[in-house]
Amino acid sequence: DQQVKQNSPSLSVQEGRISILNCDYTNSMFDYFLWYKKYPAEGPTFLISISSIKDKNEDGRFTVFLNKSAKHLSLHIVPSQPGDSAVYFCAASPSGNTGKLIFGQGTTLQVKP
Amino acid sequence: DVKVTQSSRYLVKRTGEKVFLECVQDMDHENMFWYRQDPGLGLRLIYFSYDVKMKEKGDIPEGYSVSREKKERFSLILESASTNQTSMYLCASGSPPWEQYFGPGTRLTVT
């Protein structure tokens, strides 16, 4: 039972345009959401997060939007750069401060020069 | 800078062998985690530990065990390796518990 889903395995965008990566979840008890980026042969690195009490968080070119009623979050990258090409994972933290994260399957983003 | 190191980048083992994967973090984090990453499945939690000598099962603990004797070190043990344990293994640590910092990964092949 996949509680966090990234339904698009891959996404290709042109340099300078917006990249939108999507993530859906099923558990309304998740209280924190995160995005990680992963390059080949490296571990994932933390990118941006959002608490369930907010609907938007922005950090430079990266913005995460949370729609709790739809159980949906998205990561916007504007403008996209070739160095953004990587696998992006969304993750959710169940309430209760257990420290666990539940990850989606990942979306491979390719930004073309 | 947080540093999480894993003992090997690549490992090849035979079916039935006992395999040890070591992970060390240098930021005094309470929580440590072991995941495996497989194509199309994302990262799946095998075990985690929130304190020395404490451990909890993740989503796919079968065939694995862990050891945490010191705060900075978390070991994953495959008691009898099988071919379906061929995967990328990722260790992470974190404190507060939400933001986890990952090591570079160990690509394990079991033949």
Side-chain angles (χ1 to χ4, degrees):
Chain A
D1 180 29
Q2 192 81 25
Q3 295 187 65
V4 178
K5 295 181 184 179
Q6 294 175 255
N7 292 315
S8 298
S10 62
L11 175 68
S12 182
V13 300
Q14 210 63 36
E15 181 179 5
R17 307 294 281 268
I18 184 171
S19 295
I20 300 176
L21 296 101
N22 294 302
C23 181
D24 297 298
Y25 60 95
T26 58
N27 188 343
S28 58
M29 298 303 291
F30 289 144
D31 62 1
Y32 206 76
F33 301 89
L34 306 88
W35 284 93
Y36 281 81
K37 178 168 74 172
K38 185 181 184 300
Y39 292 118
E42 294 182 16
T45 54
F46 169 73
L47 194 56
I48 192 169
S49 62
I50 187 167
S51 165
S52 61
I53 62 173
K54 296 189 173 182
D55 53 19
K56 178 182 174 181
N57 187 28
E58 194 171 349
D59 183 3
R61 296 186 297 113
F62 302 92
T63 303
V64 57
F65 295 92
L66 177 62
N67 182 335
K68 287 187 288 294
S69 61
K71 295 191 178 69
H72 177 84
L73 69 156
S74 60
L75 174 69
H76 292 210
I77 306 173
V78 183
S80 302
Q81 300 173 353
D84 296 329
S85 298
V87 180
Y88 289 79
F89 293 98
C90 68
S93 173
S95 60
N97 199 21
T98 64
K100 286 177 64 172
L101 290 178
I102 299 173
F103 285 83
Q105 306 95 312
T107 297
T108 301
L109 172 66
Q110 182 186 27
V111 180
K112 296 179 180 177
Chain B
D1 249 6
V2 176
K3 193 155 189 186
V4 179
T5 56
Q6 295 183 229
S7 50
S8 305
R9 293 300 300 270
Y10 300 94
L11 212 51
V12 180
K13 296 291 182 180
R14 292 189 182 274
T15 302
E17 278 192 82
K18 192 168 185 175
V19 182
F20 293 87
L21 301 181
E22 304 281 334
C23 175
V24 177
Q25 51 100 357
D26 66 358
M27 283 301 292
D28 202 35
H29 287 158
E30 289 84 18
N31 294 349
M32 295 189 75
F33 308 84
W34 275 106
Y35 295 88
R36 61 180 282 178
Q37 182 196 357
D38 300 289
L41 297 176
L43 276 67
R44 293 181 292 165
L45 182 64
I46 305 171
Y47 266 98
F48 70 103
S49 168
Y50 50 88
D51 202 351
V52 175
K53 297 193 186 293
M54 305 300 288
K55 60 186 179 185
E56 285 209 18
K57 292 180 180 179
D59 301 313
I60 51 164
E62 297 78 19
Y64 303 94
S65 62
V66 290
S67 171
R68 191 160 181 208
E69 297 295 321
K70 293 184 177 181
K71 191 174 186 180
E72 67 271 16
R73 189 179 297 270
F74 192 34
S75 302
L76 180 70
I77 303 151
L78 286 67
E79 297 290 343
S80 177
S82 63
T83 54
N84 62 15
Q85 291 178 311
T86 292
S87 186
M88 169 69 82
Y89 289 89
L90 291 158
C91 174
S93 71
S95 178
W98 303 284
E99 292 176 24
Q100 295 180 14
Y101 298 85
F102 284 83
T106 296
R107 182 160 294 283
L108 172 67
T109 302
V110 182
T111 61

